[in-house]
Amino acid sequence: MKSLLVLLLTVFPLLSLASSRGEDQFIEKVYSVIEAKNGTFREVAPADLNPKQLAGLMKAAREEADIWYDTILEGDYMLNSEADIEVVELSQYYSASGELVAYRAVIQHAAFDVGEDNCTPGYISSGIFISPDFRFHFRDEDAIEDFTEL
């Protein structure tokens, strides 16, 4: 029993370390292409993804939208509870050598501006990068969450 405990305490931290290392490598690769300013985008439709990829895309979209609760939703905006997160743009992002380094998506959710006793309909949107295997994602700092009126 003690051996099993030692094995578990050894294996799980190593898996976590490997996962964070993979995520760090993904982020570094995307930023190196961005900084080199030699990446290219190719638009794709979410419908072109297989079911596993689409599930990964939507999982990343929901997790990235959760950030909004600590940012834009602390202000004068409220999500429309009758709507759900949507992917409104999807592109594949390639390095100069033609390697697929990420997917870039624009996600949005119907929302309201409730400031100053108004209830203006619109949507909150932001950009995100997702790894080609859909395991990792991070927000696009050049397209942070914003509200747009309808």
Side-chain angles (χ1 to χ4, degrees), residues 94-115:
Y94 291 91
S95 68
S97 65
E99 175 190 6
L100 174 61
V101 294
Y103 285 87
R104 184 183 180 282
V106 174
I107 59 174
Q108 75 178 26
H109 195 293
F112 300 99
D113 179 345
V114 294

Side-chain angles (χ1 to χ4, degrees), residues 28-48:
E28 287 173 16
K29 187 180 286 189
V30 172
Y31 276 118
S32 70
V33 174
I34 290 170
E35 289 170 6
K37 297 180 182 178
N38 61 5
T40 58
F41 288 98
R42 191 189 82 167
E43 298 227 5
V44 294
D48 293 338

Side-chain angles (χ1 to χ4, degrees), residues 45-142:
D48 293 338
L49 302 178
N50 67 43
K52 184 178 179 182
Q53 291 171 319
L54 189 56
L57 172 64
M58 295 312 297
K59 180 178 185 272
R62 283 188 295 277
E63 289 176 0
E64 288 298 322
D66 282 346
I67 293 169
W68 299 348
Y69 290 100
D70 291 328
T71 59
I72 195 166
L73 293 173
E74 285 191 347
D76 292 335
Y77 305 103
M78 181 177 84
L79 293 178
N80 180 340
S81 62
E82 296 178 7
D84 200 2
I85 192 80
E86 300 175 283
V87 175
V88 294
E89 291 179 28
L90 182 63
S91 303
Q92 293 174 321
Y93 190 41
Y94 291 91
S95 68
S97 65
E99 175 190 6
L100 174 61
V101 294
Y103 285 87
R104 184 183 180 282
V106 174
I107 59 174
Q108 75 178 26
H109 195 293
F112 300 99
D113 179 345
V114 294
E116 298 181 29
D117 297 321
N118 292 327
C119 195
T120 306
Y123 58 89
I124 295 172
S125 64
S126 67
I128 63 174
F129 287 101
I130 308 113
S131 64
D133 61 5
F134 296 89
R135 289 179 51 212
F136 309 116
H137 52 85
F138 65 97
R139 80 195 268 203
D140 181 349
E141 294 295 328
D142 292 327

Side-chain angles (χ1 to χ4, degrees), residues 1-14:
M1 185 65 156
K2 195 184 280 187
S3 298
L4 179 60
L5 181 60
V6 169
L7 179 64
L8 289 175
L9 292 174
T10 305
V11 170
F12 286 120
L14 289 176

